[in-house]
Amino acid sequence: DKHTKELIKQMTKYLFSVGIRTSEERAWDILQTAFKLPFEYVVSLNDEIGYQGQGVHISSKHGDQLVTIKDLGRFELKAVGKEDSRKAVVKFKPSEDINRLVETKVKVIEND
């Protein structure tokens, strides 16, 4: 779609700015791989997880279920759902600088 194509162009432009000449197809592959790596990493650390309880935050006692990457954010592997249908999900919490960017750049308006 339109947004994906624009993102690919921005990635290609960024790679060129750091001295990497590549096609848009290769830039797309690099972007996808880079985006997926933290999620795949946190999943690779956990063959199984226990249910933490509703509203319980992932903490250091859950060690491998939490991966924090400086200037990017926090990836949490959690068990969610009702007792008879629990499933594992990855939650992403952006870093504070990303949150500040959103807060300063995005204006919230009232709906009519």
Side-chain angles (χ1 to χ4, degrees), residues 10-24:
Q10 289 180 13
M11 184 65 170
T12 306
K13 186 177 179 180
Y14 168 74
L15 290 170
F16 184 75
S17 76
V18 294
I20 301 170
R21 301 187 111 211
T22 189
S23 66
E24 287 187 353

Side-chain angles (χ1 to χ4, degrees), residues 4-70:
T4 303
K5 289 178 182 178
E6 182 57 36
L7 192 55
I8 293 168
K9 286 181 184 177
Q10 289 180 13
M11 184 65 170
T12 306
K13 186 177 179 180
Y14 168 74
L15 290 170
F16 184 75
S17 76
V18 294
I20 301 170
R21 301 187 111 211
T22 189
S23 66
E24 287 187 353
E25 292 80 16
R26 183 85 171 120
W28 175 234
D29 183 55
I30 292 168
L31 178 61
Q32 287 181 81
T33 302
F35 182 81
K36 290 177 183 178
L37 278 174
F39 296 97
E40 291 171 350
Y41 178 65
V42 74
V43 168
S44 75
L45 296 175
N46 298 276
D47 289 335
E48 59 184 24
I49 60 172
Y51 181 66
Q52 302 83 23
Q54 184 175 359
V56 176
H57 298 285
I58 298 292
S59 65
S60 59
K61 81 175 190 177
H62 298 106
D64 289 343
Q65 288 177 238
L66 171 65
V67 174
T68 302
I69 301 172
K70 184 180 178 187

